[in-house]
Amino acid sequence: MPSNKSVSDAPIVQFTNCRILRSHQLQREDLWVREGKILNPEKLFFEEKGSADIQLDCKDSIIAPGFIDVQINGGFGVDFSLATDDFKSGIDLVSQKILSHGVTSFCPTLVTSPPAVYHQVLPQISIRNGGAHGAGILGAHLEGPFISKEKKGAHPEHCLRTFEAGAFQDLLATYGSLDCVRIVTLAPEMKRSSEVIWELTKRGICVSLGHSVANLSQAEDAVQHGATFITHLFNAMLPFHHRDPGIVGLLTSDKIPAGRRVFYGMISDGIHTNPAALRIAHRAHPKGLVLVTDAIAGMGLAPGRHTLGQQVVEIDGLNTYIAGTKTLSGSVATMDTCVRHFQEATGCSVEIALEAASLHPAQLLGIEHKKGTLNYDSDADFLMLSDDLYVQATYIAGEEVWRQDALGM
C-alpha cells in the first residue's frame, strides 16, 4: 500500500477536536494541512492512502480564516505615511505585532501626503507572504490625495490634489509608481475621476470611494466605471439623506452592474460608528461589510501625542483626534476587538462576524481562492479562537506564528 509520502514528503498535520468555519458554518470536523495548504481528507485517504504525521488537539477551539486588514495606517509607533530610511524595519514591526490580533494579511495604508513621501515610501513596500516574521503584505492602500476638501477629515488640506487635463498621468506622477498598489481611495465627484477609475481598475487596482461629497448618481457612475469599495462607510462623506442618500445609497442601489458587489469598510471600534448605524448598514447589505481597523501609529501605545502622516494626533482613551480639534483621525482599535464589537453590536452570528474580517476582504481583493476561507487547496492561514472570539493562536501557511501564553488564556 502506498504511504502518505506518495505525493509529497512534507508532513501532514491534523488539527482535531475543533469547529471549523467552512461554507458559512462552524462545522465539527478536523483540519488537515500540508505544505502550507489545506488538504481534502477524502483525497488523502482514498487516492493517496495517506494519514497524519502529527495530530494537534485544539481543545474545542474555533478555527477560522486569518483576518485581512485592508486599511491600517500603522501601529506601535510606526506611521506608514512618514518617509524614513528605515521604513522596512517599521513595517516589519507592525506585521509582527498584528499577528496577536489575528491579522495574517494586510494593506499598509498611506493617508494624503506630498508626492515626495509616496516616491520614497512606495518603493519600500513589497508584496510578500506572511510567516513567522509577520503578516503578509497584499499591497498598499493609498487613501488620497485625490479627495474632497470638505470631507478631508484628518488629511492635510495643503496636500490635497485634483485631476487636471491628463488625469491618470497626474495620479502616476503623484504616486511615482503603482507596482505595489492594491487600493486607491478617491472622491468620485472630482472631474475626470471616471477615466482614472477605469484606468486603475484595468490594472487590477481596487478603487474605493471616500472622503467625498458625492451624491448617489455620482457614486453609481463610479461603480459603473469599476469602483468596488467604500472607505469607512458614514465617516468623511455626506450623511444619509432620504432624497439623496449619497455614497451610503450604494448599499441598496439598483444601478450596480449585474454580477458585481459593492463592498464597504466599517471601523467597528465603538467610536467611529454608532452601533445603530452599524446595524443599519449590516442589515441593508450584509455580504458587503468589511471590517477595517483604520489603525494609526498610536495603536498599542499609551495615550498622548502621536502622528498620522503630516498631522499630530492626540489619543484619549479610544478616541483619536487631530491635535487641538475634535476631528477623528483613525483608530487605535485592534482587528480582534473590532470583530467582537461588531458581533455584540449587531447580534450577528459568530460565523458572520468572522467572515466580515476574512472572507469579505478576500472577495474584495479577488483573492478568495487563496485566502479568507478554509476551503481545500487554499492557504493555511487560520486562527484558533475561544467561543467569545479571543485569539488563542495564529497560523500562517500551517505554521504557528503566535500563541497566547498559558497565563494569559
Side-chain angles (χ1 to χ4, degrees):
M1 178 188 280
S3 74
N4 59 358
K5 305 301 179 195
S6 59
V7 170
S8 167
D9 288 335
I12 294 167
V13 184
Q14 178 188 8
F15 294 81
T16 66
N17 189 17
C18 53
R19 288 157 293 153
I20 302 172
L21 177 55
R22 185 177 279 150
S23 303
H24 317 297
Q25 288 183 320
L26 286 178
Q27 304 182 10
R28 190 164 281 287
E29 42 182 275
D30 294 351
L31 187 76
W32 297 75
V33 175
R34 177 174 60 198
E35 290 185 317
K37 300 285 183 190
I38 292 166
L39 286 180
N40 179 342
E42 287 195 7
K43 270 188 171 178
L44 178 67
F45 300 149
F46 297 115
E47 293 179 21
E48 296 184 40
K49 308 287 191 279
S51 58
D53 298 291
I54 303 161
Q55 279 191 327
L56 292 174
D57 182 352
C58 301
K59 300 178 179 163
D60 206 35
S61 296
I62 291 169
I63 291 191
F67 299 149
I68 299 169
D69 194 351
V70 299
Q71 187 175 8
I72 170 171
N73 310 290
F76 314 99
V78 175
D79 184 342
F80 297 147
S81 303
L82 282 187
T84 58
D85 292 331
D86 64 343
F87 182 85
K88 187 178 180 310
S89 62
I91 206 167
D92 287 350
L93 175 73
V94 175
S95 64
Q96 228 295 308
K97 293 272 199 178
I98 58 178
L99 293 174
S100 66
H101 309 158
V103 177
T104 54
S105 305
F106 70 109
C107 293
T109 304
L110 278 72
V111 295
T112 295
S113 303
V117 170
Y118 297 114
H119 295 187
Q120 190 175 345
V121 168
L122 290 179
Q124 298 185 71
I125 296 177
S126 49
I127 294 167
R128 68 181 188 208
N129 293 327
H133 59 274
I137 297 173
L138 300 169
H141 177 170
L142 306 182
E143 188 188 359
F146 302 98
I147 58 172
S148 158
K149 193 167 62 175
E150 293 85 349
K151 292 292 177 185
K152 66 183 187 298
H155 293 238
E157 188 170 331
H158 70 277
C159 295
L160 300 182
R161 300 173 76 91
T162 55
F163 295 121
E164 302 308 325
F168 188 67
Q169 293 310 313
D170 288 349
L171 177 138
L172 272 180
T174 301
Y175 296 147
S177 166
L178 293 172
D179 289 351
C180 66
V181 175
R182 202 59 187 264
I183 305 174
V184 171
T185 294
L186 53 76
E189 71 275 14
M190 283 193 168
K191 281 183 185 164
R192 305 184 184 87
S193 65
S194 293
E195 61 188 89
V196 172
I197 294 168
W198 179 256
E199 288 289 345
L200 287 168
T201 305
K202 215 163 64 177
R203 287 161 172 78
I205 294 169
C206 165
V207 175
S208 190
L209 311 179
H211 288 278
S212 163
V213 292
N215 59 34
L216 178 56
S217 69
Q218 288 167 326
E220 289 170 335
D221 185 62
V223 170
Q224 283 151 15
H225 280 86
T228 52
F229 195 38
I230 303 169
T231 296
H232 45 52
L233 187 77
F234 297 124
N235 288 281
M237 60 188 62
L238 291 179
F240 177 90
H241 188 279
H242 57 285
R243 277 193 288 276
D244 191 338
I247 289 177
V248 177
L250 287 176
L251 271 61
T252 57
S253 168
D254 58 0
K255 303 278 194 306
I256 308 300
R260 285 261 302 284
R261 185 186 303 176
V262 172
F263 293 89
Y264 58 97
M266 296 291 290
I267 310 169
S268 169
D269 62 352
I271 304 290
H272 279 77
T273 313
N274 184 284
L278 200 52
R279 288 191 286 274
I280 287 169
H282 176 245
R283 289 174 193 175
H285 184 28
K287 287 186 163 68
L289 193 148
V290 173
L291 292 176
V292 298
T293 61
D294 199 20
I296 62 169
M299 176 182 65
L301 301 181
R305 289 200 158 205
H306 303 282
T307 65
L308 177 60
Q310 312 296 303
Q311 309 268 47
V312 176
V313 171
E314 286 178 333
I315 297 177
D316 176 14
L318 283 177
N319 293 291
T320 65
Y321 301 114
I322 293 294
T325 76
K326 287 295 177 189
T327 300
L328 282 176
S329 54
S331 88
V332 288
T334 61
M335 183 58 93
D336 55 322
T337 305
C338 290
V339 171
R340 290 190 295 272
H341 176 72
F342 171 59
Q343 199 221 349
E344 190 183 335
T346 61
C348 72
S349 67
V350 162
E351 292 94 332
I352 285 170
L354 292 168
E355 287 187 344
S358 55
L359 175 63
H360 296 176
Q363 290 172 327
L364 165 71
L365 296 176
I367 57 172
E368 69 272 25
H369 59 292
K370 292 190 299 188
K371 298 191 186 294
T373 76
L374 298 177
N375 294 341
Y376 304 139
D377 299 323
S378 58
D379 293 351
D381 297 356
F382 58 89
L383 312 174
M384 280 188 201
L385 302 122
S386 61
D387 282 0
D388 48 6
L389 302 184
Y390 282 85
V391 180
Q392 297 168 333
T394 303
Y395 287 76
I396 293 181
E399 300 288 329
E400 183 181 295
V401 293
W402 180 83
R403 176 168 288 276
Q404 178 72 42
D405 61 53
L407 292 173
M409 286 181 77

